[in-house]
Amino acid sequence: MDNNKKPNNQLQLELPQEVAQGEYANLAIITHSSSDFVLDFARVLPGVPKAPVKSRVIMAPEHAKRLLGALQENIVRYERAFGPIRIPDAQGGGTIAPFELPHGEA
């Protein structure tokens, strides 16, 4: 077999330069319908009343469940290497955001 040829079933990802640096997000809003999950990633900054959505990812429920499993697996690996990830107790009045979020009105 020629070692320079890749198998036909191997997926190659292309990472465009404008995407490679990524977008920082400290808030994720997840909504769903019967056919799709919508993940909106935003950046909340202190003193700024609006949080612009930096990225929206739409996926099928099956892919969302695969993502959940992949995140869980990677969090386990991370915590093995670096220790537990601590999250403030939301029931104790804490927030998972790095600062207090404004409260919406209905």
Side-chain angles (χ1 to χ4, degrees):
M1 179 176 172
D2 185 354
N3 289 335
N4 293 329
K5 291 189 176 184
K6 297 192 186 292
N8 290 338
N9 62 351
Q10 185 175 355
L11 177 67
Q12 294 183 17
L13 294 180
E14 180 181 348
L15 184 59
Q17 187 174 3
E18 62 272 10
V19 176
Q21 291 187 13
E23 285 287 349
Y24 177 77
N26 57 5
L27 176 69
I29 304 291
I30 302 169
T31 56
H32 66 276
S33 69
S34 61
S35 59
D36 295 303
F37 275 72
V38 179
L39 293 79
D40 286 327
F41 297 93
R43 185 179 309 149
V44 179
L45 298 173
V48 179
K50 289 186 178 181
V53 172
K54 294 298 187 174
S55 181
R56 171 173 276 188
V57 177
I58 303 168
M59 60 180 63
E62 298 83 1
H63 294 305
K65 194 162 188 175
R66 287 186 185 110
L67 175 61
L68 173 65
L71 281 170
Q72 183 62 47
E73 180 181 322
N74 278 273
I75 287 172
V76 167
R77 289 181 190 170
Y78 177 95
E79 290 184 325
R80 259 191 234 129
F82 303 107
I85 299 169
R86 303 209 190 293
I87 298 177
D89 180 13
Q91 292 178 346
T95 177
I96 61 172
F99 38 81
E100 191 64 33
L101 294 174
H103 297 283
E105 295 181 18

